Amino acid sequence: MKNTIFVWLIVLLAVQMSLAQVWKPTSSSFGFTTKMLGIKVEGKFKGFQGIINFDPNELQNATISGTVEAATIDTDNSLRNTHLKEKSDFFEVVKFPKLKMSSAKIEKSAEGYIGNFNLTIKSITKTLKIPFTVNINNEKAVFKGSAKINRKDWNLGGNTFGMSNDVNINLLINAIKQ
């Protein structure tokens, strides 16, 4: 009897694993926009590493997680980049080298999907909802989403004069099926 139960568990696990669609990120963009003294400031991070398990027919098993290297921040202004990397009011990249995000739940929406993600910047983790779309074409997929966050929720920017609290984040991940 124990052997029969064990065999069935292995079969069920194998079936579950065969249903999962694992996607390997091939390129990505993790960008942000905010305002400083009313002027739009754009930036991006590089070095995305992630794991994507996504099947639109099995959302209860879907997970998306990844990291970007904080030291790759680029706003097309070297002085600002250095300030953002080094100052304790901002990213402190030596102490906190990665920004992390992982899904807690993914649901279908009218326009695509909504992911409930845990976003960790520095040592602070907050949950946010990110609406996103997925375009699957054979063995390739494009995941694209955006959301607005409040920088103060992650203690970023301190009381910097003229800096907007609103930061728009934009995510784009190109992936191939494993």
Side-chain angles (χ1 to χ4, degrees):
M1 180 67 171
K2 287 182 183 179
N3 288 341
T4 303
I5 292 172
F6 181 70
V7 169
W8 277 109
L9 286 174
I10 289 177
V11 169
L12 287 173
L13 180 62
V15 168
Q16 180 67 22
M17 288 177 67
S18 69
L19 293 176
Q21 290 186 11
V22 178
W23 299 91
K24 178 183 176 186
T26 56
S27 64
S28 64
S29 171
F30 186 98
F32 63 90
T33 58
T34 190
K35 289 191 176 181
M36 182 68 178
L37 297 172
I39 298 170
K40 184 177 178 180
V41 175
E42 296 181 349
K44 62 187 171 208
F45 292 92
K46 296 179 184 174
F48 176 82
Q49 297 290 315
I51 299 171
I52 302 171
N53 293 301
F54 185 87
D55 181 338
N57 299 314
E58 298 286 331
L59 291 179
Q60 69 276 11
N61 298 321
T63 59
I64 301 172
S65 63
T67 63
V68 292
E69 301 290 330
T72 66
I73 192 168
D74 183 11
T75 63
D76 288 331
N77 180 313
S78 61
L79 289 175
R80 180 173 40 227
N81 293 346
T82 299
H83 184 83
L84 294 172
K85 291 175 188 180
E86 295 177 356
K87 298 298 181 182
S88 62
D89 279 354
F90 288 96
F91 292 99
E92 293 182 276
V93 301
V94 170
K95 189 174 179 181
F96 305 103
K98 295 185 185 284
L99 284 69
K100 303 173 187 173
M101 190 169 76
S102 63
S103 62
K105 183 178 185 181
I106 296 174
E107 301 174 297
K108 184 79 176 130
S109 72
E111 294 81 30
Y113 304 92
I114 295 180
N116 293 297
F117 288 91
N118 294 316
L119 175 61
T120 303
I121 302 174
K122 295 166 83 166
S123 61
I124 300 169
T125 302
K126 299 282 184 180
T127 301
L128 68 143
K129 290 185 182 219
I130 300 177
F132 68 96
T133 59
V134 180
N135 183 1
I136 298 174
N137 186 2
N138 296 321
E139 303 294 309
K140 296 180 181 180
V142 177
F143 297 79
K144 187 175 182 179
S146 61
K148 184 186 296 188
I149 64 172
N150 184 325
R151 68 177 175 85
K152 289 192 170 198
D153 289 344
W154 285 271
N155 292 334
L156 291 172
N159 293 318
T160 303
F161 175 74
M163 179 181 272
S164 173
N165 292 336
D166 294 332
V167 179
N168 295 303
I169 58 172
N170 301 295
L171 309 163
L172 174 76
I173 303 169
N174 294 299
I176 56 173
K177 190 183 284 189
Q178 291 291 92

